[in-house]
Amino acid sequence: MTFTALGLVIFAGLIHASWNIAAKKAGGDSRFAFFTAMVVMVFWAPVGLWLGWQQVPQWDALAWAFIIASGIIHVGYYTVLLRGYRKSDLTVVYPLARGSGPLMSSLFAILVLGEQISALGLTGVLAVVGGVFLVAGGPALFRPSDDPARISRVRKGVVYGLVTGVFIASYTVVDGYAVKVLLLSPILLDYMGNFVRLVFLFPPVVRDLPAARLLLRAQWKYAAMVGIVSPISYVLVLYAMQTAPMSHVAPAREVSMLFAALLGGHLLGEGDRMARLAGAACIAFGVIALALG
C-alpha cells in the first residue's frame, strides 16, 4: 500500500468520523438519508455534469448494472446505520460496523479475487479488528449488568452494527470492482449512484410531506454537512482502491475509529474512554502494518 493511498485513506477517515457524528446528532431516519442525497445531487452537480458529459454516454450495460447495485446497497447501508444510531450509541454501532465490514470485504478479496496479503498485512487486519472491538466496549459488552435497558441498547447496537458491516462489505466489493476492473470514475460512481438512492428514498418522504417538512427544518444543517462532505471521504477511498489492494484499503479505512474515539466520545458524552483509547492504539498499529505489509 503506497503512502499516497494511505494518506487518502487517513484524510477520508477524519471526514468519515465527522459526518457520522453529525448523522448521530441528527437522529434521523430514511427521510434524513433523502435530505442528504438531495444535497449531494445539488451541491456536487457541477462536478458530476463536468465529468459525466463525456464519460456517461460511453457506459455499457455492465457499468450501469454496477451503478444501480451500488446505489441500492448504499440505501440499505445508510438506512440501517441511521436506525442503529437511533436505537443505540455511536460508540457501539460505528465500531462494529466499521470493523466487521472491512474484515468481510478483505476476506472476499483474498479468497475470491485472489489478492495476496503478507503476514504483516494480516497482522494489521487482526489488529484493526481487535481495536474496533475494544472501541466498542471490549469484554464489557458481554458482562452481566444490573441495567436491563443498557443491555438491550448495547445488544441492539451490536446487531445493527454487524448488519451495517454486511452492507459495508458488499458496497466495498461492488464499488472496488467498478473502479479497479471496469475503470469507472470514482466520482461518477458515487454521484450517479446517488440518483438511484434518491429513487428508493423518495417514497417515505412523499407519504407524509408535512412531517417531512418539519424534519427538514430540524435537520437541514446536519443534512447539509453530511451531503457535502461524505462524498469526499468515499471518493478518496475509491481512488485509493485504484492504486492499492482492496484487502489493504478496506481495513485501513478503520483509521476513522481513531478520530471517532477522540472526537465522538467527547462530543456525544459516551463512556468507556480507556477502552476506546486502547482500541485506537491497536487501530493505529494495524494501519501502519497494512501500509508496510
Side-chain angles (χ1 to χ4, degrees), residues 243-254:
T243 60
M246 188 189 305
S247 56
H248 287 193
V249 173
R253 291 189 68 194
E254 303 328 295

Side-chain angles (χ1 to χ4, degrees), residues 66 69-70 72-74 77 100-102 104-106 108 162-178 234 241 246:
F66 270 82
S70 175
I72 293 173
I73 295 171
H74 276 275
Y77 154 73
S100 60
M104 289 182 277
S105 58
S106 294
F108 180 90
L162 292 176
V163 174
T164 304
V166 173
F167 282 106
I168 291 173
S170 301
Y171 75 61
T172 298
V173 171
V174 169
D175 295 352
Y177 186 91
Y234 193 54
M241 284 185 184
M246 188 189 305

Side-chain angles (χ1 to χ4, degrees), residues 20-282:
N20 271 266
I21 292 171
K24 166 66 176 176
K25 285 189 172 184
D29 53 17
S30 61
R31 289 168 291 189
F32 178 76
F34 177 82
F35 301 153
T36 63
M38 288 293 294
V39 173
V40 171
M41 180 186 71
V42 175
F43 185 85
W44 292 105
V47 177
L49 292 173
W50 178 59
L51 291 175
W53 187 261
Q54 295 293 331
Q55 298 183 39
V56 171
Q58 300 176 9
W59 287 353
D60 57 13
L62 183 60
W64 280 109
F66 270 82
I67 293 290
I68 294 171
S70 175
I72 293 173
I73 295 171
H74 276 275
V75 168
Y77 154 73
Y78 203 20
T79 302
V80 173
L81 179 68
L82 291 174
R83 185 171 180 82
Y85 284 163
R86 296 198 308 275
K87 299 291 184 179
S88 187
D89 295 335
L90 177 138
T91 47
V92 174
V93 178
Y94 186 77
L96 290 173
R98 301 279 2 134
S100 60
L103 177 62
M104 289 182 277
S105 58
S106 294
L107 290 176
F108 180 90
I110 294 168
L111 298 176
V112 179
L113 301 182
E115 290 189 0
Q116 301 297 314
I117 187 168
S118 67
L120 181 60
L122 182 59
T123 301
V125 172
L126 296 176
V128 167
V129 173
V132 168
F133 172 68
L134 288 174
V135 172
L141 287 173
F142 306 103
R143 292 175 190 159
S145 174
D146 296 329
D147 187 353
R150 177 187 172 277
I151 295 175
S152 175
R153 187 172 180 83
V154 169
R155 287 178 178 173
K156 288 179 180 178
V158 169
V159 172
Y160 281 107
L162 292 176
V163 174
T164 304
V166 173
F167 282 106
I168 291 173
S170 301
Y171 75 61
T172 298
V173 171
V174 169
D175 295 352
Y177 186 91
V179 299
K180 288 177 73 72
V181 179
L182 301 182
L183 301 180
L184 296 185
S185 162
I187 295 175
L188 285 179
L189 174 64
D190 186 71
Y191 187 73
M192 298 304 294
N194 186 65
F195 287 98
V196 178
R197 299 194 287 270
L198 281 169
V199 170
F200 283 89
L201 293 169
F202 183 66
V205 174
V206 76
R207 275 199 297 266
D208 192 346
L209 287 176
R213 282 193 288 267
L214 290 175
L215 287 173
L216 179 59
R217 280 198 288 269
Q219 299 171 349
W220 72 268
K221 291 182 180 179
Y222 297 115
M225 176 185 176
V226 174
I228 291 172
V229 305
S230 63
I232 300 175
S233 65
Y234 193 54
V235 167
L236 290 177
V237 169
L238 292 177
Y239 273 113
M241 284 185 184
Q242 288 186 320
T243 60
M246 188 189 305
S247 56
H248 287 193
V249 173
R253 291 189 68 194
E254 303 328 295
V255 72
S256 63
M257 291 313 309
L258 180 62
F259 303 116
L262 297 175
L263 298 176
H266 174 71
L267 295 175
L268 300 174
E270 297 173 0
D272 297 326
R273 292 288 178 87
M274 293 306 297
R276 282 200 302 269
L277 291 176
C282 288

